[in-house]
Amino acid sequence: MANTKLDTVKNVVLSLSGEFQKTLSDQSLNFARESGFALQALQNNPYLLGIATGNQASLTNAIVNIAAIGISLNPASKLAYLVPRDNKVCIDISYMGLMHIAQQTGAIKWCQADVVRRTDRFKRMGITLEPLHEYECFAEIEQRGDMVGVYSVIKTDDGDFLTHTMRIADVFNIRDRSVAWKAYIKDKSKTCPWATDEEQMVLKTCVKQAAKYWPRRDRLDNAIEYLNTELDEGINFAAERSGTEPKDITPASDESLNHLFGLMAQTGKTEASIVEGVIPRLIGRSVTSIPDLTEEEARKLIGFIEKRIKTQGAA
């Protein structure tokens, strides 16, 4: 029976070569290799194989989405996996997968994420500086204590470091809203990544939230949207991005703009360099000129430049 099921899904997967190539967003991916990884995952997981046989449409969607997002199923790279979820075959993208896409698309130079435990020493050093995280790396987990927080840090094209932190209680609040966690709490026989891979999910939650402040790239947006809509991991950051919450759109005042241009003159930065290099990642949207900013955005930019001047002055 198992061979019959495998033959069935093999026919489905191999029929998708044309659709895969047509949808492919990362030309380094290869259909022969990815279809081989997919069939390997299905062969090694009888439950997943059964889901794929009964819901072939979801298997088709998953394979096509691998091409659209541009993420490999290579088990050695640990970037993405085929998983069963709600009687569907889905792609689970790891936090390393999200960081890989961000790097590959040029959104960031590099990214690192880590959890902070009770006996660790962690300190944010400034808005554009690397954080300090010290701990005994060879100590047992029990010696370092429970997780108290998580952070991610990226290096931008400008050479700045952007750090995002989350308290562990805020991460677990997000976990508690996920469908998978609610089902697990109700029936412990169900599998849930929050139960089997807690630290990986904590890191992933932080990276997903931090990505809101990174330069935008379609592939990264698509990957996060897929995770939120298909895997329901507890929070829809895409909805936050789309502006579902009311926002103050009062235009920047003359006073703020004059102050802003004065600071730019002090640093030697041109309007074009600020508009293209700083505003998209700091504000989360693109503008054609600085007067297009809202008052709230202008004040945020002023704060950013003032802190940078202060940091450089102290260096």
Side-chain angles (χ1 to χ4, degrees), residues 201-260:
M201 291 302 291
V202 169
L203 292 167
K204 188 174 179 178
T205 302
C206 182
V207 170
K208 282 175 63 181
Q209 194 177 69
K212 290 190 301 179
Y213 308 105
W214 299 351
R216 305 288 295 275
R217 295 291 186 277
D218 287 344
R219 278 178 58 199
L220 184 61
D221 286 350
N222 291 340
I224 293 174
E225 182 177 1
Y226 180 88
L227 290 174
N228 289 330
T229 55
E230 295 296 326
L231 268 69
D232 189 0
E233 293 177 335
I235 188 168
N236 190 341
F237 295 118
E240 291 183 12
R241 278 180 170 174
S242 68
T244 54
E245 297 180 359
K247 289 184 176 179
D248 185 352
I249 57 172
T250 304
S253 65
D254 290 341
E255 181 182 2
S256 293
L257 291 176
N258 289 335
H259 185 37
L260 194 47

Side-chain angles (χ1 to χ4, degrees), residues 121-169:
R121 181 178 178 230
F122 180 85
K123 185 176 182 181
R124 293 192 66 156
M125 306 301 289
I127 193 166
T128 61
L129 302 177
E130 281 185 283
L132 171 70
H133 184 195
E134 294 180 336
Y135 59 93
E136 177 51 65
C137 58
F138 298 121
E140 299 293 337
I141 293 299
E142 292 75 15
Q143 293 176 294
R144 290 179 57 196
D146 296 336
M147 288 186 285
V148 296
V150 57
Y151 70 95
S152 68
V153 56
I154 67 166
K155 189 172 186 180
T156 69
D157 283 342
D158 294 335
D160 293 330
F161 295 94
L162 297 182
T163 301
H164 184 72
T165 58
M166 295 183 74
R167 296 180 307 162
I168 199 66

